[in-house]
Amino acid sequence: MSRNPTIVIALGAAGMLWLAALAGRPTLPAPAAQVVTVAPAAQPFAPSLRGTRPDGAVRVAPDDSVVADAQLIELFDYYLSTVGEKSPAAVRAEIERELDRTLRPPAAAAAKRVLTRYIEYRQAMAALETDAKLSGLDTAALKRRLAALHGLRAQYFSQREIAAIFGREDAANADALARMEIREDRTLTAQQKRERLAALDAGLPADLRAAREAPLKIVHVQEQAERLRASGAGDDDIFRLRADAFGADAAGRLAAVDREEAEWKRRIDTYLAARRGLQDDAAVAALRSRMFSADEQRRLVAYE
């Protein structure tokens, strides 16, 4: 479940169901390593994973060490995106179970060590959000956040690992920073700014350009789908729209997400209507427990 590489300084994990439903991204190759993918579980670990396949893969070297690269982190993030539906401890235990199920014991142990470092890194990264010195929306503030982020990574990963895990993200951040500097440069005319931004566009690698455009494409297609629904279009029309944009497989996954979200909203509406007739906190708690699992109740807080 992918992370949006555009200013990934957003210190956290992406869990958007739309992005999760779409295909993964190319990552850096690691020679002389066996690529091991994780098969879908018979029963999805969390509702948001239903109808999806685990992202990423594990690259196992001949000595049973694992390659800490973007694909391994994608695999971890696939499960970590369900935090909220499941507790952090439950999510970590699920990742470790899948590693044990998929890999030989030495390789599984090596992957778990990378997982430990990555979880600790994510926790430290979240703490940066509270640092007032890193706040701000200007170029200087972004440079400070990037410097802090790079320093933090060095505490948990080697330089080779940083390049393999975050290389594409860093390229996206560098591109975004360059664009901000152009836009904020008061010595440039409007025409000069357009020319320099166009030069940056022309110099982008194809995969990075596609990654920058992907979120906008998703938003555009979703807006089209909403307009079609408002005009009376049915599910088949929405499927064809999405299939033209993303392919039939992704359109099918997005349709499944729609159904799950519609069912979730129906349950929420039913619960809220029933709750309005209750005056006692204990009765509300009992209703909540009857209608939702413990994991679902964590999501329920936002609607209450």
Side-chain angles (χ1 to χ4, degrees):
M1 294 197 174
S2 48
R3 295 168 299 167
N4 181 356
T6 306
I7 300 293
V8 192
I9 320 264
L11 305 170
M16 293 178 61
L17 292 179
W18 257 67
L19 288 174
L22 299 179
R25 312 178 293 280
T27 50
L28 297 177
Q34 177 190 6
V35 179
V36 181
T37 58
V38 176
Q43 294 295 325
F45 171 63
S48 63
L49 301 184
R50 189 173 295 115
T52 69
R53 297 182 61 87
D55 293 331
V58 186
R59 296 182 182 273
V60 182
D63 63 356
D64 271 330
S65 63
V66 301
V67 179
D69 62 2
Q71 284 206 332
L72 182 59
I73 297 305
E74 284 182 2
L75 176 61
F76 294 161
D77 281 343
Y78 173 80
Y79 294 99
L80 290 169
S81 69
T82 65
V83 170
E85 297 176 84
K86 303 285 187 177
S87 70
V91 174
R92 178 170 185 165
E94 177 67 10
I95 298 173
E96 292 183 344
R97 277 193 295 270
E98 289 303 316
L99 293 173
D100 286 333
R101 183 172 69 89
T102 305
L103 303 173
R104 294 185 294 272
K112 291 177 189 177
R113 289 192 291 271
V114 179
L115 175 64
T116 295
R117 286 190 285 144
Y118 182 57
I119 290 176
E120 291 174 351
Y121 163 73
R122 282 168 55 105
Q123 293 169 341
M125 188 171 64
L128 290 182
E129 293 180 319
T130 63
D131 190 339
K133 293 179 295 189
L134 302 180
S135 63
L137 300 175
D138 59 357
T139 304
L142 177 56
K143 287 181 177 179
R144 290 195 299 271
R145 288 197 293 276
L146 281 173
L149 191 59
H150 292 162
L152 186 65
R153 288 172 181 170
Q155 298 177 33
Y156 296 93
F157 304 102
S158 70
Q159 288 304 307
R160 191 212 67 81
E161 290 172 336
I162 289 172
I165 296 171
F166 304 109
R168 181 170 174 179
E169 183 178 306
D170 286 343
N173 285 334
D175 175 72
L177 180 59
R179 292 173 189 275
M180 288 181 66
E181 289 177 329
I182 291 171
R183 294 188 179 102
E184 294 178 5
D185 191 340
R186 297 184 178 181
T187 68
L188 298 176
T189 66
Q191 178 60 30
Q192 287 172 326
K193 290 182 179 181
R194 285 194 292 270
E195 291 172 353
R196 296 195 182 190
L197 290 171
L200 286 178
D201 288 337
L204 279 176
D207 64 334
L208 186 54
R209 187 183 303 112
R212 287 182 66 243
E213 294 171 354
L216 296 177
K217 183 177 182 181
I218 291 171
V219 170
H220 177 65
V221 172
Q222 178 65 349
E223 289 174 345
Q224 286 182 290
E226 290 172 356
R227 286 195 295 270
L228 281 175
R229 285 196 179 98
S231 66
D235 291 342
D236 289 344
D237 299 304
I238 303 301
F239 181 90
R240 283 193 293 271
L241 170 69
R242 291 168 170 172
D244 288 342
F246 306 118
D249 288 345
R253 292 192 294 272
L254 292 171
V257 168
D258 286 347
R259 290 191 294 271
E260 291 168 10
E261 287 300 289
E263 173 61 15
W264 173 251
K265 288 185 67 176
R266 185 195 64 76
R267 293 174 62 200
I268 292 292
D269 291 342
T270 302
Y271 164 75
L272 293 177
R275 177 181 165 167
R276 282 194 290 271
L278 301 176
Q279 303 298 325
D280 181 73
D281 289 344
V284 171
L287 174 68
R288 187 185 301 121
S289 296
R290 284 198 307 272
M291 295 188 64
F292 300 97
S293 69
D295 291 326
E296 289 173 334
Q297 289 180 47
R298 297 188 182 95
R299 295 177 63 193
L300 188 62
V301 174
Y303 294 87
E304 293 184 301

